[in-house]
Amino acid sequence: MSIRTTHRTVIVIVALCGASNTRPASAEDGAESQPPQVRWLVSEDFKEDVAHNPLVVKNKVIVGTDLGMIRAYRCRDGKPAWVYKHGGQVFHRPCSDGQRVYFSSKNGVACVNANDGSKVWSLSEFSGDGPTFVLPEKKMVYQGSGDGNLYALDSATGELLWAVDFITDAPQDPPGFLGSNARFSNTKARPSALASDGETLFLSVFDQSRIVAFNATTGDELWSFQADGWIFGAAVVTTNHLYFGSQDKRFYCLDKETGRKVWSYATKARIESGGVVDASSVYFGSCDGGLYCLDRSSGELRWRFAADPRGERNTPIYSVPILAQESAIFAAGEGQAYAVDTRTGQLKWKTRPSEGSELFCSPASDGRLYFLVTRPTDEEHGKHSLLAIGWD
């Protein structure tokens, strides 16, 4: 995704994981299958209005933009489906219950129909750009706001159900990670992501370097855990554990019920995104240029794949991998998308979908195509676009 303060958010997609293998792997090991091709690309809509992380809802891919647009395109061919003008940068990826799309900006929280983009409700009083998350079974949508509150709204009407403050009990900043340096002007907090297991909400609070757990029905705070650095990405939730990365260069596993640390794993650079799990492993990217596969239970390294460097430096990886068909498909900041065998960590294929462009946002998939947002490397190279890659 694009830079916000000193941050850039990258795209990555991955596939299903597997067996143990600690042999280092790299892009030089060679591809095992043909890479996907660009099936469509939209750039005109984003020349003056940058798009952020895509979301797939049924047969549409949806993005929020810097100028407050929600744009929907047909997955199969990239043809425009609808546009909703909200106003205020829609930076965080929207969320959906399959029928409606929810999102927020400094202009408030809003809900539109997924089919045609018509407005269902819009609430300006819950302003403060932040992440949203919907639990269809509870008929509730949640927003972490820059005013320091987590809000729960009725997903059908927007009615406020409860609000809980997450500033009052904020811990002292860890050394080298001052919260004041991480917050935007005129905001009290910087919530960066939400995750849930259906009963508990897990809020990543970037400027507080912590994860806070809340009861999804009542809003009661259950526990909080502070890392030694800022936390940008969403946690990954399993039956018993919670996984996330931090700018302190470590990837963490917590006990989901208590917030107690089970293990942590150190990389060589900051970690800007969350991860993804299969039955036995957890996968995540680091800004040291590596895609890691760890044993979920012990945190032991199974393998590390090194993406191609960016000049003389390791390429940053901000993306959350998507797992499918025993492959980890992800994009790196230097502009290539990769598929890595989840059992061995060996390269299957790599492709550069937009010459001269960077990949700094998290992609999405409809099960057939993968959707990526690109941005220019500089004024002379690359472009802002939404594109789809896949096979015939």
Side-chain angles (χ1 to χ4, degrees), residues 365-380:
S365 177
D366 65 353
R368 185 178 68 90
L369 297 174
Y370 294 98
F371 307 101
L372 307 169
V373 172
T374 73
R375 72 179 193 192
T377 300
D378 52 45
E379 292 183 358
E380 298 180 356

Side-chain angles (χ1 to χ4, degrees), residues 178-216:
L178 290 176
S180 58
N181 292 340
R183 290 188 289 273
F184 300 117
S185 59
N186 301 318
T187 63
K188 298 179 180 179
R190 188 177 171 185
S192 52
L194 275 164
S196 181
D197 61 359
E199 296 299 330
T200 304
L201 295 169
F202 303 95
L203 177 68
S204 301
V205 188
F206 183 78
D207 61 304
Q208 298 175 9
S209 300
R210 67 170 178 158
I211 300 280
V212 189
F214 299 92
N215 182 291

Side-chain angles (χ1 to χ4, degrees), residues 1-3 8 50 309-311 315-316 332-336 352-360 373-385:
M1 71 195 162
S2 61
I3 296 181
R8 296 186 294 184
V50 178
R310 187 175 186 177
T315 187
E334 51 86 19
Q336 293 187 100
R352 189 176 300 279
S354 177
E355 193 64 35
S357 298
E358 299 176 330
L359 295 177
F360 279 97
V373 172
T374 73
R375 72 179 193 192
T377 300
D378 52 45
E379 292 183 358
E380 298 180 356
H381 302 91
K383 63 180 68 176
H384 290 290
S385 74

Side-chain angles (χ1 to χ4, degrees), residues 24-341:
S26 74
E28 298 302 318
D29 289 325
E32 296 179 1
S33 60
Q34 291 298 313
Q37 304 298 313
V38 175
R39 293 303 161 195
W40 54 258
L41 182 149
V42 177
S43 62
E44 288 297 321
D45 291 344
F46 307 113
K47 281 186 175 181
E48 305 296 333
D49 189 16
V50 178
H52 300 288
N53 294 332
L55 169 75
V56 171
V57 183
K58 294 182 178 177
N59 60 352
K60 300 177 183 68
V61 56
I62 298 169
V63 294
T65 75
D66 274 359
L67 296 182
M69 302 288 192
I70 303 295
R71 293 184 175 273
Y73 301 85
R74 298 192 311 196
C75 287
R76 67 177 183 272
D77 56 15
K79 298 296 184 183
W82 51 260
V83 178
Y84 178 80
K85 298 180 181 180
H86 180 63
Q89 183 190 48
V90 182
F91 177 76
H92 294 276
R93 175 185 271 168
C95 63
S96 178
D97 56 12
Q99 303 300 318
R100 296 177 289 262
V101 176
Y102 309 88
F103 55 93
S104 72
S105 79
K106 66 179 182 180
N107 287 7
V109 185
C111 169
V112 298
N113 283 307
N115 287 333
D116 60 11
S118 59
K119 184 173 73 173
V120 179
W121 51 259
S122 181
L123 304 170
S124 60
E125 57 265 40
F126 303 119
S127 61
D129 182 17
T132 56
F133 194 93
V134 63
L135 289 177
E137 62 276 16
K138 293 187 179 297
K139 299 180 180 179
M140 298 168 75
V141 62
Y142 308 87
Q143 185 219 16
S145 175
D147 67 8
N149 288 291
L150 175 65
Y151 295 103
L153 309 173
D154 184 289
S155 58
T157 66
E159 176 189 357
L160 177 64
L161 302 176
W162 51 256
V164 60
D165 168 270
F166 56 86
I167 291 180
T168 301
D169 69 339
Q172 186 175 1
D173 297 329
F177 290 90
L178 290 176
S180 58
N181 292 340
R183 290 188 289 273
F184 300 117
S185 59
N186 301 318
T187 63
K188 298 179 180 179
R190 188 177 171 185
S192 52
L194 275 164
S196 181
D197 61 359
E199 296 299 330
T200 304
L201 295 169
F202 303 95
L203 177 68
S204 301
V205 188
F206 183 78
D207 61 304
Q208 298 175 9
S209 300
R210 67 170 178 158
I211 300 280
V212 189
F214 299 92
N215 182 291
T217 302
T218 66
D220 292 336
E221 183 174 327
L222 305 176
W223 55 258
S224 75
F225 175 89
Q226 186 180 46
D228 292 327
W230 297 328
I231 299 170
F232 188 75
V236 183
V237 189
T238 65
T239 302
N240 297 311
H241 296 111
L242 194 75
Y243 303 88
F244 65 93
S246 167
Q247 282 199 12
D248 65 14
K249 305 179 183 180
R250 304 190 74 88
F251 194 80
Y252 290 85
C253 172
L254 306 183
D255 181 281
K256 188 179 72 171
E257 298 301 319
T258 66
R260 178 184 61 85
K261 185 175 80 171
V262 178
W263 55 255
S264 67
Y265 182 89
T267 69
K268 295 181 179 180
R270 68 189 188 278
I271 301 171
E272 296 284 8
S273 64
V276 65
V277 299
D278 65 8
S280 61
S281 303
V282 57
Y283 308 81
F284 65 93
S286 168
C287 289
D288 66 10
L291 180 72
Y292 289 81
C293 174
L294 307 182
D295 182 277
R296 272 177 48 176
S297 298
S298 67
E300 293 182 358
L301 178 68
R302 291 189 163 179
W303 52 256
R304 176 186 183 274
F305 174 84
D308 289 340
R310 187 175 186 177
E312 297 181 355
R313 297 183 178 182
N314 292 329
T315 187
I317 299 174
Y318 283 60
S319 307
V320 177
I322 294 176
L323 303 182
Q325 300 176 348
E326 295 182 341
S327 295
I329 305 164
F330 71 99
E334 51 86 19
Q336 293 187 100
Y338 298 84
V340 176
D341 190 303

